[in-house]
């Protein structure tokens, strides 16, 4: 069942979202040559805990890190380790924080030093596809209106969207109904209602959309080795035409 949040629950989610967004910002500021993904993960965990929250991902279904840190062809669920970032990498950081019993969830992709023009374009198109979806994140629209807008923008720019993983509801659980795909025809699925809180997260490949999960059962890479980017925010469907971004540092 899809959860419609009360005003009190929304306040808790704003708090969780702010901490989560601040953790994403911290992680992004650390993306530079010579820094390991484990160093970033450690900093994210310490920050979240310093705010009285807990990392949503740590131990979730056995995940060993506080953040998913995915480099280059890794789309999502990269496990932090001693890998040292190098000039030209692109680094996707997905973080979650839980406080007062509610979660925030967000992600972003960052250039490591000087990256290629194509890599930078992929990052920008991925983020913009999220905002294209936001044009349909209001009452009267359906989930697939968001999905279709994301896909149309991504494919119009020559890229592809991952099919095997999708966005989701967020609240007292990190993953709640409904699923929020980044593809599909408009006019289908759940009708959006005020009080719904969902994570919209385009996962975009420079090449083909097919992905595979490595033997560690987490790390998900593009099958063709092409670059991938990820952008995500937790949003609140409001009474008006504009959703509220809950994962904001403001």
């Amino acid at each position: 069942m899809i959860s419609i949040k009360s005003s009190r629950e929304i306040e808790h989610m704003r708090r969780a979202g702010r901490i989560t967004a601040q953790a994403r910002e911290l992680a992004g500021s650390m993306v530079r040559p010579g820094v390991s993904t484990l160093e970033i993960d450690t900093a994210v965990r310490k920050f979240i805990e310093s705010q009285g929250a807990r990392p949503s991902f740590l131990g979730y279904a056995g995940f060993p890190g506080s953040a998913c840190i995915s480099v280059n062809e890794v789309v999502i669920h990269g496990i932090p380790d001693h890998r040292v970032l190098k000039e030209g990498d692109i680094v996707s950081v997905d973080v979650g924080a839980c406080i007062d019993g509610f979660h925030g969830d967000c992600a972003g992709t960052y250039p490591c030093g000087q990256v290629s023009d194509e890599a930078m374009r992929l990052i920008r198109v991925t983020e913009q596809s999220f905002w294209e979806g936001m044009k349909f994140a209001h009452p009267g629209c359906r989930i697939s209106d968001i999905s279709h807008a994301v896909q149309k923008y991504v494919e119009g720019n020559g890229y592809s969207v991952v099919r095997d993983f999708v966005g989701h509801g967020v609240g007292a659980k990190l993953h709640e109904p409904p699923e929020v795909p980044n593809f599909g025809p408009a006019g289908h699925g759940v009708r959006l209602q005020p009080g719904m809180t969902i994570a919209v997260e385009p996962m975009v490949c420079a090449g083909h959309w097919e992905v595979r999960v490595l033997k560690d059962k987490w790390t998900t890479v593009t099958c063709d080795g092409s670059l991938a980017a990820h952008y995500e925010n937790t949003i609140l469907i409001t009474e008006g035409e504009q959703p509220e971004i809950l994962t904001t540092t403001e």
Side-chain angles (χ1 to χ4, degrees), residues 13-25 104-106 131 231-235 244-250:
M13 291 202 64
R14 287 191 181 110
R15 188 178 181 198
R18 188 176 305 111
I19 294 168
T20 306
Q22 290 170 339
R24 173 177 60 181
E25 184 175 73
D105 190 4
C106 66
W131 296 107
Y231 187 78
E232 173 186 23
N233 282 303
T234 301
I235 70 167
E244 179 183 342
I245 307 298
L246 296 175
T247 42
T248 176
T249 58
E250 298 177 0

Side-chain angles (χ1 to χ4, degrees), residues 41 44 61 80 193 235 239:
D41 183 72
V44 165
Q193 299 179 49
I235 70 167
E239 297 279 357

Side-chain angles (χ1 to χ4, degrees), residues 23-79:
R24 173 177 60 181
E25 184 175 73
L26 170 63
S29 73
M30 293 181 67
V31 173
R32 58 184 180 272
V35 175
S36 73
T37 59
L38 184 59
E39 288 177 274
I40 296 173
D41 183 72
T42 300
V44 165
R45 178 176 182 175
K46 287 181 177 179
F47 172 76
I48 291 174
E49 292 177 343
S50 77
Q51 302 302 302
R54 65 175 176 84
S56 299
F57 298 171
L58 185 60
Y60 183 82
F63 188 76
S66 296
C68 299
I69 305 179
S70 306
V71 183
N72 296 334
E73 77 282 1
V74 181
V75 186
I76 51 172
H77 300 163
I79 297 174

Side-chain angles (χ1 to χ4, degrees), residues 178-196:
E179 291 191 342
V180 186
N182 297 302
F183 58 92
H188 295 271
V190 173
R191 195 174 294 279
L192 300 173
Q193 299 179 49
M196 290 175 61

